[in-house]
Amino acid sequence: MDFSTSRQIVEKGSSRPRIAVASIIQETNTFSLQPSSYADFETQGVWFGEEIITRSAGLNLEISGSMTRLAELEFIAVPVMRAWAMSGGVLEEKSFRRLRNELMDGLKSAGMIDGVILNLHGALVSDEEFHCDARLVEDVREFVGTDMPIVVTHDLHANVGTRIVAAATAVIGYKTYPHIDQGDTGARAAELISVALARKGTMKTVLQKVNILIPAEIQPILDYPMNVVRELADSHLDQEILDISLFPVQPWLDVPELGFGFLITTVGSREKAQGIGKSLAQKLWEIKDKFLLKLVTLDEAIRIIHSAPQTKPFVLVQSADATPGGATGDDAAVLAALLLANPPISSAMTLVDAAGVAECKAAGVGAKVDMNIGSSLDGRWSKPVRLTGTVTRVSSDPIVLTGPVMNGQEVSMGDWVTVDSGHGVQVLITQRPAPTFDPSAYVQAGLNITDLAAVQVRSCALFRSGFAGLFTDALILDLAGATTPNLASLDFQNIPRPMFPIDKDVSLLDVIYN
Ligand SMILES: [Zn+2]
């Protein structure tokens, strides 16, 4: 991109352009039974104004990337608010209203501004609003008027729809999955703001949707088959086509306009961008069968672990109960299988169970416990399991992520304990979900995972970067749940039909929004 024109504006103008930057990020899973509220944001920290600069310094966040790049481009970044929560069920409307009000109050007190960058997830749903992110951008658009550039960044799992594209000047997304480019994405938004200011009124984003849902397990961008589409998109970038973002969408979202999205941001003709969208949709449709997954039953997984010679643990991928995807993390199916394994399998796993944590905490380190745990939040998919063992640690310390995804970010697990079953299984039981896309939760809980035969993760694909080099193979388990890879098992009511791969006789719906 060429920034010389925008620099000229800065030099000619009496003052440097001021760009408001705000971030409200949560991914909703509409199949989760656990509603989300403002408290989920407060747990991870809601920051306002100047506080954002000190708190986000050095972190790989969109908002820090945006602010750093804005400063490099000689703009003044005006931090407004930053609210982030772990993925969860539908957000209570009153909590969403509070976030909306805080964003607008912050913008109103930001003084004169020349542009707005909004770092949003793109899959936030409230009790009363299917497209909360669009609503936030509409609020901001109404306040700043039609001419001011608003650039939006999204997670790659955003469900991008008509309203947000209409309200924003440009919408872009992460280019990585597992996501490691939050900061870079924020920086790209800053660059687009500078171009939008320099080339007044010419920037637009065209949206092409495709009626395809892809299990998260097979979405990693650099791997086949996603790399085919990503490379084709990259081949279209030029002086006019400034950004092409792919949104394979997180599939546990029962909302209108659900589907794979391509966003093409251009300062050239709309028709050319639409043509590129169509060709990308066509390519994706041609190779859609390559996105069908091979799943392993729990029995098969146990057999594989027993029979394989190994120097590193297998990863038992309990993606059907993936907390980064908004599931509750309390499904006990894997625990049950590991406790029954004969011969025993040396293993580590996590489970959300607040009552279990309290019981272990009351018993204390070194005490024997005998309790039923699991399925305490969502009883639809598994039964509680009897766990006997010894409490080995009790704590409430947060985890600091050490892998490439959100490196340095502190994550609260609430109170937590570790229990050694005496049968090879070590269980990290937490009040709030433990992040298992990164080994730090296990490591910081004192569990040495490198010598084990198996490590369970409640993650679809993010773990592949956090655990890179640490495991023999990843076994994707064929289990039911709010984040199941078996998408046909979910009861969708609101999405466009037909939808690949859950409907038979699918044809490509010809849908462009712009
Ligand atoms: Zn994501």
Side-chain angles (χ1 to χ4, degrees):
M1 262 178 249
D2 176 16
F3 303 109
S4 52
T5 332
S6 54
R7 286 225 177 80
Q8 282 163 18
I9 289 180
V10 176
E11 281 155 19
K12 282 179 194 162
S14 56
S15 62
R16 295 189 290 160
R18 302 177 82 248
I19 309 298
V21 189
S23 177
I24 297 175
I25 293 180
Q26 188 186 30
E27 179 179 277
T28 299
N29 178 323
T30 62
F31 295 98
S32 168
L33 290 183
Q34 283 295 104
S36 297
S37 73
Y38 192 87
D40 295 302
F41 291 87
E42 278 179 313
T43 302
Q44 309 300 346
V46 182
W47 310 331
F48 298 98
E50 299 289 307
E51 178 189 15
I52 298 168
I53 299 171
T54 45
R55 287 190 177 260
S56 70
L59 299 183
N60 180 19
L61 304 176
E62 294 93 316
I63 199 162
S64 39
S66 290
M67 290 193 297
T68 303
R69 193 76 184 109
L70 285 170
E72 288 166 2
L73 293 168
E74 298 178 28
F75 291 171
I76 296 171
V78 185
V80 173
M81 73 177 288
R82 182 268 185 183
W84 175 82
M86 297 270 276
S87 307
V90 170
L91 181 63
E92 290 173 357
E93 181 60 25
K94 66 170 191 273
S95 297
F96 178 51
R97 217 167 285 152
R98 179 169 172 187
L99 290 166
R100 282 175 69 188
N101 290 339
E102 286 173 346
L103 171 63
M104 295 317 297
D105 289 348
L107 267 183
K108 284 169 189 164
S109 55
M112 289 292 290
I113 52 171
D114 302 281
V116 183
I117 294 175
L118 295 173
N119 309 128
L120 310 172
H121 184 284
L124 181 61
V125 179
S126 79
D127 295 336
E128 294 178 18
E129 175 61 77
F130 280 127
H131 300 286
C132 291
D133 305 277
R135 174 54 64 89
L136 292 170
V137 182
E138 287 165 350
D139 287 350
V140 175
R141 174 58 74 201
E142 195 181 330
F143 174 63
V144 302
T146 50
D147 295 335
M148 190 181 294
I150 302 173
V151 176
V152 175
T153 69
H154 274 338
D155 188 286
L156 177 118
H157 294 112
N159 180 48
V160 188
T162 45
R163 285 169 50 196
I164 204 156
V165 173
T169 309
V171 186
I172 61 169
Y174 301 160
K175 291 194 164 175
T176 60
Y177 184 50
H179 312 315
I180 53 172
D181 62 336
Q182 286 89 339
D184 289 346
T185 306
R188 281 160 56 214
E191 291 164 8
L192 286 176
I193 275 277
S194 94
V195 176
L197 285 170
R199 304 187 54 159
K200 217 171 168 352
T202 57
M203 186 177 290
K204 57 194 99 43
T205 293
V206 166
L207 168 62
Q208 167 82 48
K209 295 289 283 198
V210 190
N211 49 320
I212 287 181
L213 293 181
I214 293 176
E217 290 83 345
I218 197 159
Q219 290 184 0
I221 295 292
L222 295 178
D223 299 339
Y224 183 81
M226 280 296 284
N227 66 337
V228 173
V229 192
R230 183 64 259 174
E231 284 164 19
L232 180 60
D234 288 341
S235 73
H236 288 292
L237 296 172
D238 60 21
Q239 294 289 2
E240 289 184 346
I241 306 293
L242 303 183
D243 189 278
I244 301 179
S245 294
L246 275 56
F247 296 90
V249 75
Q250 66 92 347
W252 315 290
L253 204 56
D254 187 15
V255 299
E257 295 188 336
L258 188 72
F260 198 114
F262 292 103
L263 285 181
I264 301 107
T265 297
T266 181
V267 288
S269 83
R270 188 178 290 281
E271 291 69 27
K272 180 178 167 187
Q274 287 171 337
I276 292 169
K278 264 188 175 310
S279 72
L280 290 168
Q282 200 58 51
K283 172 53 77 180
L284 180 66
W285 193 258
E286 273 168 38
I287 63 168
K288 63 183 182 309
D289 289 341
K290 309 293 182 196
F291 290 98
L292 299 171
L293 264 186
K294 183 187 173 327
L295 303 176
V296 178
T297 66
L298 262 174
D299 285 349
E300 284 167 342
I302 299 293
R303 244 192 331 269
I304 291 168
I305 296 168
H306 275 150
S307 60
Q310 63 195 68
T311 51
K312 293 175 183 173
F314 279 90
V315 174
L316 285 171
V317 185
Q318 193 170 5
S319 49
D321 190 27
T323 51
T328 39
D330 63 330
D331 187 293
V334 171
L335 177 61
L338 287 172
L339 289 174
L340 286 173
N342 187 19
I345 291 175
S346 63
S347 51
M349 64 162 295
T350 65
L351 189 82
V352 173
D353 194 307
V357 171
E359 189 173 336
C360 294
K361 206 174 155 185
V365 172
K368 298 271 183 216
V369 286
D370 181 351
M371 56 190 186
N372 286 322
I373 62 167
S375 302
S376 57
L377 299 171
D378 188 347
R380 290 174 295 175
W381 324 105
S382 74
K383 294 192 181 74
V385 170
R386 184 175 175 191
L387 174 68
T388 58
T390 307
V391 180
T392 47
R393 193 176 283 207
V394 173
S395 179
S396 56
D397 291 343
I399 293 302
V400 179
L401 298 175
T402 54
V405 179
M406 296 193 290
N407 189 288
Q409 173 89 41
E410 206 170 76
V411 179
S412 169
M413 309 193 292
D415 289 342
W416 55 266
V417 300
T418 54
V419 173
D420 186 337
S421 75
H423 182 76
V425 190
Q426 300 182 77
V427 192
L428 168 60
I429 312 172
T430 58
Q431 205 177 17
R432 288 178 165 272
T436 52
F437 52 84
D438 178 320
S440 57
Y442 286 121
V443 172
Q444 290 165 39
L447 305 182
N448 178 7
I449 56 167
T450 49
D451 296 332
L452 301 175
V455 178
Q456 171 248 30
V457 297
R458 296 182 190 270
S459 162
C460 298
L462 294 180
F463 74 89
R464 290 185 189 275
S465 60
F467 284 82
L470 297 177
F471 64 96
T472 299
D473 196 6
L475 306 172
I476 304 172
L477 299 170
D478 189 1
L479 293 168
T483 52
T484 180
N486 184 352
L487 302 178
S489 69
L490 295 170
D491 181 23
F492 287 104
Q493 300 289 333
N494 298 303
I495 65 172
R497 306 307 275 259
M499 181 68 75
F500 180 86
I502 60 179
D503 291 320
K504 290 189 173 66
D505 302 323
V506 283
S507 54
L508 174 57
L509 298 174
D510 187 20
V511 189
I512 298 178
Y513 301 116
N514 45 72

